[in-house]
Amino acid sequence: QVQLVESGGGLVQAGGSLRLSCAASRSIFRIDAMGWYRQAPGNQRELVALITNTGTTNYADSVKGRFTISRDNAKNTVYLQMNSLKPEDTAVYYCKLQIYGVNYWGKGTLVTVSS
């Protein structure tokens, strides 16, 4: 079993930055993909950014050019650098690890962007 611990959420003014981190509870030999999703009140959970084991990244159109996903394989950690934050980025952000086709989710961290 793998547990994921997210950190870095909080309250920030529009235009500000936050960095989210998600660490796995144990060492993992192979992680297929690591990603960040978010869910705003009344909305479905949506993909924000994804990075595969080869380093290929994919971003939602709404965050391209503002958010950057990265990973530290040695630490089994994925990061999400969020710049130029907007009020519409307000949501609970969840990290997900895919290991041999099985998805593991974190409990989420709240990001609130004030106008």
Side-chain angles (χ1 to χ4, degrees):
Q1 187 71 6
V2 177
Q3 293 182 335
L4 306 179
V5 179
E6 297 131 329
S7 61
L11 174 64
V12 64
Q13 289 188 333
S17 297
L18 284 174
R19 188 191 194 209
L20 305 183
S21 299
C22 174
S25 58
R26 63 174 178 82
S27 179
I28 302 168
F29 177 70
R30 173 191 163 102
I31 299 175
D32 298 328
M34 309 172 84
W36 289 94
Y37 293 71
R38 67 186 180 187
Q39 187 168 17
N43 291 354
Q44 290 186 335
R45 192 173 297 188
E46 62 176 2
L47 173 68
V48 176
L50 187 73
I51 184 166
T52 69
N53 60 349
T54 61
T56 300
T57 57
N58 185 33
Y59 295 92
D61 288 342
S62 59
V63 306
K64 284 181 180 177
R66 300 189 297 122
F67 291 10
T68 303
I69 189 170
S70 60
R71 60 190 287 175
D72 185 330
N73 292 330
K75 296 181 178 179
N76 294 302
T77 300
V78 60
Y79 304 97
L80 185 68
Q81 178 66 43
M82 305 186 294
N83 299 328
S84 302
L85 282 161
K86 303 176 182 180
E88 51 263 45
D89 294 318
T90 295
V92 177
Y93 284 71
Y94 300 88
C95 73
K96 185 187 83 172
L97 266 61
Q98 186 180 74
I99 305 170
Y100 293 109
V102 178
N103 293 326
Y104 297 87
W105 290 90
K107 293 183 178 180
T109 184
L110 178 63
V111 172
T112 304
V113 184
S114 63
S115 57

